[in-house]
């Protein structure tokens, strides 16, 4: 148990260090100064109020997408469909935000709830197919991403945008997560109240997974599906439930974009990458709620700071994409790090043995 | 519009979209038959498109210098896809290293490969060309009429006029893969490590080496698929050059039940679906269908197919399971 706990912390940390080191090496190879590059990145993430506000803005949906992947993973499911669920949640929140005139106290929660339901329904489909027909959720969710991309575009183009328009109207002020003074306070950045909702969401998920029967069943099914079934748990129900909650969380990530950052939804020519980054965030965060918050923080910082690398040090921001990809790669190949650690420990132990032998005059 | 006119419109376009998918899907089938899920096909195609275009742009002038503009110009795209295949194969070994040696979750390492390919590609493009996309290549593949075969009445104009040699190479690769996989000892070993690695191990087959080879081949074919797409359809490289073709190839492999010829059939089907949403305006009846239905059709059909509504598909049993010697 102790060893496992150690690994669950060392693997992500070592992976981050390796990833950043690899980034430094690439910068050196292409003739940049890595210290300058990373300083520019830090500056771009937390250099002043505006940058900090933008970083928090980016972290907000990341927390939800990370939670979405992590929650499903606890049941042994890999939800690659967060991307599509984000689209559905985004669209639903913007639709409620633009279609009604209500007081804030009803309008905002309603819009957020709509996003969760839309995402949850989009997660229900792969969950149901998995539980009922044992269809691999990875393939279904990948396909659902494309369907969501095209369907949301078609709905926006046909129903929500003005004729020939590319985006919906702005959501009503009563459904917006933005307030002027907060934005002004953070250097006129796009920061919004969603971050509080995201942190609260993480707390709820932590409680749900760690402290309730439901969460226990969730984890049990993740550990061993057959043993759980033998213990009388309804495995199929758990699988569907897990995907619905996961989709709902992803939908909330969409609401953060729809009601917070953008305030509208435009046609998309491709994916937002919020969902795909969510996989990396969940993985780095060890699929725990607290870990996800930290990992989302790191990714938000890296991605937002990267934009400043071009200005500050001339480094293309895609360097950070390489670094994050490598971090996921190293976390996934965690066994490599365990082996490496054992080698190192073994090496030192051998040293000790030798010196001990020498002392004893052998 | 008569039938011949209809077919000479639809078939070449469908085939043109299908060819890159055939290469990649067959590569996916080989990898997955050995027990390694290849979510990284998208990344392998990105790598292939990137290398194909960059090689074409940078080496094209050199090759033409050496061989003259006529032959050199014809040779350049072929050398480009060979380069893309080689780099794709090497790149896939990263996936193999993580999934096989380090027992990583294959899906997650595949996702990492997809990100990595895009990051490397765009970073490099910005470094060398100073922009997020490259120029258009001077030496793409061009449509040709295949001599003799295009003379065949009816079939000739449909299949062998305005076609690419790479289309037919894709078909040959699929047939070859089928032969190797189902008619040779190598193929039997390949399938056995995907079905029951421990039994294969007992029979003296080096499971991990077989898997490395399979993933490597999928990298070569994915790289070729990506570069063929880039050198026939897109003709330049940017972040959006490969947008989902790798995932469609993955779907084609599942749709085709992990069989090279099935994968080819599914890839052609997806090619038809893609081409329909491109050319539907000109075709009676289809122009009345809203574009959205044609756009989502391949994905919906894939879900229906793997849910077993279109014949039961049985995945290789050891898919996504690392092989650890001595366990059961």
């Amino acid at each position: 148990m102790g060893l496992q706990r150690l690994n669950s912390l060392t693997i992500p940390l070592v992976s981050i260090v390796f990833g950043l080191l690899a980034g430094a090496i690439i910068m050196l190879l292409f003739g940049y100064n890595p210290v300058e590059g990373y300083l520019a990145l830090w500056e771009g993430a937390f250099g002043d109020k505006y940058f900090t506000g933008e970083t928090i803005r980016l972290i907000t949906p990341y927390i939800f997408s990370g939670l979405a992947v992590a929650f499903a993973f606890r049941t042994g499911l890999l939800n690659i469909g967060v991307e599509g669920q984000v689209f559905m949640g985004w669209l639903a929140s913007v639709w409620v935000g633009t279609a009604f005139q209500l007081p804030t106290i009803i309008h905002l929660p309603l819009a957020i709830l709509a996003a969760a339901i839309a995402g949850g329904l989009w997660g229900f489909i792969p969950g149901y197919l998995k539980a009922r027909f044992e269809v691999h959720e990875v393939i279904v969710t990948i396909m659902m991403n494309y369907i969501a991309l095209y369907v949301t575009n078609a709905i926006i183009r046909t129903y929500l945008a003005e004729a020939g328009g590319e985006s919906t109207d702005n959501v009503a002020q009563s459904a917006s997560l933005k307030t002027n003074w907060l934005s002004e306070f953070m250097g006129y950045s796009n920061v919004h109240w969603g971050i509080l909702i995201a942190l609260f969401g993480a707390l709820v998920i932590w409680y749900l997974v760690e402290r309730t029967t439901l969460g226990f069943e969730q984890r049990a099914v993740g550990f061993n599906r057959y043993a759980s079934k033998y213990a009388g748990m309804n495995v199929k129900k758990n699988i569907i439930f897990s995907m619905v909650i996961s989709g709902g969380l992803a939908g909330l990530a969409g609401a953060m974009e729809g009601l917070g950052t953008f305030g509208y939804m435009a046609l998309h020519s491709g994916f937002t990458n919020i969902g795909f980054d969510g996989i990396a965030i969940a993985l780095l965060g060890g699929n725990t709620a607290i870990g996800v918050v930290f990992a989302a923080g790191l990714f938000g910082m890296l991605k937002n700071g990267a934009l400043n690398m071009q200005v500050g040090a001339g480094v293309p921001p895609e360097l950070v994409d390489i670094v994050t990809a490598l971090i996921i790669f190293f976390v996934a190949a965690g066994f490599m790090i365990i082996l490496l650690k054992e080698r190192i420990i073994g090496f030192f132990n051998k040293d000790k043995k030798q010196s001990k032998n020498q002392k004893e005059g052998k | 519009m008569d039938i011949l006119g209809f077919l000479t419109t639809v078939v070449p376009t469908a085939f043109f979209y299908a060819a890159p998918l055939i290469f990649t899907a067959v590569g996916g089938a080989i990898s997955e038959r050995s027990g390694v899920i290849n979510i990284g096909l998208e990344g392998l195609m990105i790598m292939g498109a990137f290398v194909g275009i960059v090689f074409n742009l940078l080496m094209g002038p050199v090759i033409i210098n050496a061989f003259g503009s006529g032959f050199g110009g014809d040779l350049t795209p072929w050398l480009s896809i060979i380069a893309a295949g080689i780099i794709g194969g090497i790149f896939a070994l990263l996936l193999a290293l993580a999934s096989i040696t380090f027992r990583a979750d294959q899906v997650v390492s595949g996702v990492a490969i997809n990100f990595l390919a895009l990051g490397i590609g765009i970073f490099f493009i910005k470094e060398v060309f100073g922009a997020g996309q490259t120029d258009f290549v001077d030496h793409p593949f061009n449509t040709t009429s295949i001599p003799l075969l295009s003379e065949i009445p009816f079939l000739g104009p449909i299949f062998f006029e305005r076609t690419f040699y790479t289309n037919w190479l894709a078909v040959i690769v699929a047939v070859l893969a089928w032969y190797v996989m189902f008619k040779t000892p190598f193929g039997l070993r390949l399938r056995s490590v995907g079905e029951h690695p421990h039994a294969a191990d007992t029979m003296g087959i080096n499971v991990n080496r077989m898997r490395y080879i399979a993933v490597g081949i999928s990298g070569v074919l994915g790289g070729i698929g990506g570069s063929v797409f880039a050198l026939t359809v897109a003709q330049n490289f940017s972040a959006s050059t490969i947008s989902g073709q790798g995932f469609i190839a993955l779907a084609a492999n599942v749709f085709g039940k992990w069989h090279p010829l099935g994968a080819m059939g599914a890839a052609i089907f997806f090619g038809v679906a893609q081409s329909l949403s491109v050319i539907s305006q000109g075709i009676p009846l289809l122009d009345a269908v809203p574009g959205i239905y044609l756009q989502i059709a391949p994905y919906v059909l894939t879900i229906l197919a793997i849910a077993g509504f279109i014949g039961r598909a049985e995945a290789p049993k050891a898919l996504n399971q690392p092989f650890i010697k001595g366990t059961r």
Side-chain angles (χ1 to χ4, degrees):
Chain A
M1 187 68 209
L3 188 72
Q4 220 166 14
R5 218 161 250 282
L6 197 64
N7 283 335
S8 71
L9 204 66
T10 44
I11 289 173
L13 290 180
V14 172
S15 300
I16 293 167
V17 172
F18 277 8
L20 291 174
L21 268 180
I25 292 168
I26 294 169
M27 280 193 266
L28 276 176
L29 285 179
F30 283 88
Y32 299 109
N33 181 343
V35 178
E36 261 177 41
Y38 281 133
L39 275 180
L41 185 140
W42 177 259
E43 190 76 8
F46 297 114
D48 63 19
K49 279 187 197 167
Y50 172 81
F51 285 136
T52 312
E54 285 294 306
T55 302
I56 294 172
R57 191 266 307 164
L58 193 56
I59 291 170
T60 308
Y62 276 170
I63 292 179
F64 276 124
S65 65
L67 286 175
V69 179
F71 191 83
F73 204 86
R74 278 301 178 90
T75 329
L77 299 168
L78 193 63
N79 182 5
I80 307 223
V82 174
E83 197 62 51
Q85 293 144 11
V86 165
F87 277 121
M88 300 319 278
W90 188 339
L91 185 75
S93 71
V94 168
W95 178 68
V96 172
T98 52
F100 301 105
Q101 290 294 335
L102 295 162
T104 303
I105 190 83
I106 302 172
H107 203 179
L108 185 57
L110 194 68
I112 293 174
L113 187 69
I117 291 173
L121 283 175
W122 213 246
F124 172 80
I125 299 171
Y128 177 76
L129 290 176
K130 171 91 181 181
R132 176 79 175 74
F133 300 103
E134 300 202 349
V135 183
H136 204 299
E137 75 279 6
V138 166
I139 310 277
V140 177
T141 50
I142 288 172
M143 298 301 130
M144 298 287 290
N145 285 342
Y146 286 95
I147 298 173
L149 172 67
Y150 294 125
V151 165
T152 49
N153 275 347
I155 291 175
I156 293 171
R157 202 181 288 123
T158 328
Y159 302 108
L160 297 178
E162 286 170 27
E166 300 263 291
S167 77
T168 67
D169 291 335
N170 282 316
V171 297
Q173 186 57 42
S174 55
S176 175
L177 283 167
K178 268 189 185 167
T179 39
N180 284 332
W181 73 261
L182 180 69
S183 172
E184 271 172 41
F185 179 70
M186 294 305 284
Y188 295 95
S189 58
N190 282 311
V191 69
H192 55 82
W193 292 116
I195 185 70
L196 298 182
I197 302 175
L199 290 174
F200 180 70
L203 197 67
V204 171
I205 293 302
W206 170 82
Y207 185 82
L208 194 67
V209 172
E210 307 291 341
R211 291 283 181 273
T212 63
T213 320
L214 219 150
F216 176 77
E217 284 197 12
Q218 210 72 17
R219 283 181 288 154
V221 172
F223 276 129
N224 192 332
R225 194 158 286 171
Y226 305 101
S228 309
K229 192 171 180 186
Y230 185 70
M233 294 175 195
N234 189 337
V235 172
K236 287 182 176 177
K237 196 191 78 188
N238 268 302
I239 287 173
I240 296 176
F241 179 78
S242 169
M243 283 304 283
V244 169
I245 294 284
S246 175
L249 288 164
L252 291 175
M256 296 301 113
E257 300 295 90
L259 305 175
T261 307
F262 291 93
Y264 62 86
M265 187 169 182
L267 296 179
H268 278 87
S269 59
F271 292 123
T272 62
N273 278 343
I274 294 171
F276 295 129
D277 288 338
I279 300 169
I281 289 164
L283 199 67
L284 192 63
N287 296 309
T288 63
I290 300 163
V292 161
V293 171
F294 281 110
L298 179 78
F299 270 67
M301 189 195 98
L302 287 176
K303 294 259 167 175
N304 195 47
L307 303 173
N308 191 48
M309 287 176 91
Q310 182 89 59
V311 191
V315 183
E318 282 73 19
L319 177 85
V320 161
D321 293 339
I322 301 178
V323 170
T324 48
L326 287 174
I327 293 176
I328 315 174
F329 184 82
F330 291 134
V331 175
F335 185 62
M336 172 184 74
I337 293 169
I338 296 174
L339 276 184
L340 197 73
K341 206 176 76 179
E342 278 170 4
R343 283 276 165 82
I344 293 171
I345 292 172
F347 179 76
F348 281 115
N349 282 351
K350 207 168 67 187
D351 256 17
K352 247 186 235 165
K353 236 182 221 166
Q354 270 175 356
S355 57
K356 205 176 162 193
N357 287 349
Q358 277 168 358
K359 261 183 204 164
E360 288 169 4
K362 279 184 187 169
Chain B
M1 191 183 269
D2 61 346
I3 286 193
L4 184 63
F6 173 78
L7 288 177
T8 48
T9 313
V10 174
V11 172
T13 320
F15 206 3
F16 164 75
Y17 277 102
L21 299 178
I22 297 176
F23 284 112
T24 315
V26 168
I30 292 172
S31 164
E32 302 211 347
R33 279 284 182 169
S34 82
V36 181
I37 290 192
N38 205 332
I39 301 284
L41 287 178
E42 176 88 357
L44 297 172
M45 280 187 90
I46 292 172
M47 209 20 116
F50 160 69
V51 174
I53 294 291
V54 170
F55 184 92
N56 198 301
L57 287 169
L58 299 182
M59 295 304 288
V62 180
I63 295 165
I64 285 181
N65 236 340
F67 295 101
S69 65
F71 181 64
D74 288 342
L75 191 64
T76 306
W78 289 104
L79 292 178
S80 304
I81 66 168
I82 291 172
I86 293 170
I87 303 288
I90 294 170
F91 190 62
L93 293 182
L94 263 184
L95 179 71
L97 185 72
S99 307
I100 300 166
T101 306
F102 295 131
R103 303 171 196 172
D105 187 303
Q106 295 169 0
V107 174
V108 174
S109 44
V111 170
I113 288 291
N114 292 340
F115 278 123
L116 196 58
L118 197 57
I120 290 174
I122 303 300
F123 182 83
F124 192 85
I125 295 295
K126 283 200 173 165
E127 276 300 310
V128 175
F129 299 93
Q133 58 180 37
T134 66
D135 301 332
F136 285 89
V137 291
D138 293 325
H139 311 289
F141 284 108
N142 293 312
T143 49
T144 41
S145 291
I146 293 177
L148 291 177
L149 291 173
S150 58
E151 309 286 318
I152 302 170
F154 196 74
L155 292 179
I158 297 171
F159 290 106
F160 301 110
E161 268 178 29
R162 292 196 301 123
T163 188
F164 293 94
Y165 279 114
T166 46
N167 291 359
W168 292 99
L169 181 66
V171 175
I172 292 168
V173 163
V175 174
L176 200 66
W178 161 76
Y179 182 81
V180 170
M181 201 184 269
F182 290 97
K183 303 285 172 198
T184 65
F186 174 82
L188 184 63
R189 286 185 209 125
L190 181 88
R191 286 179 289 132
S192 73
V193 301
E195 288 293 333
H196 206 309
H198 291 99
D201 184 53
T202 314
M203 296 304 289
I205 298 169
N206 187 332
V207 174
N208 286 350
R209 193 174 67 198
M210 280 312 288
R211 289 186 170 178
Y212 262 95
I213 293 170
V215 174
I217 294 172
S218 83
V220 171
L221 292 179
I224 292 175
S227 61
V228 165
F229 184 85
L231 289 168
T232 55
V233 182
Q235 310 210 351
N236 78 340
F237 180 79
S238 73
S240 59
T241 300
I242 302 294
S243 55
Q245 287 86 353
F247 288 122
I248 298 184
L250 181 73
N253 154 49
V254 177
F255 203 75
K257 299 179 182 176
W258 293 269
H259 189 293
L261 297 182
M264 177 173 77
I268 291 172
F269 172 78
F270 288 145
V272 172
Q274 277 191 320
S275 68
L276 283 184
S277 64
V278 176
I279 57 175
S280 63
Q281 274 78 21
I283 298 171
L285 281 180
L286 274 180
D287 55 1
V289 178
I292 173 70
Y293 295 109
L294 296 172
Q295 263 181 328
I296 64 170
Y299 309 105
V300 174
L301 284 166
T302 303
I303 292 176
L304 293 179
I306 57 170
F309 298 129
I310 311 176
R312 190 95 195 112
E314 198 86 32
K317 280 202 182 59
L319 204 56
N320 203 9
Q321 287 169 11
F323 171 67
I324 304 168
K325 219 178 159 96
T327 57
R328 0 187 64 250

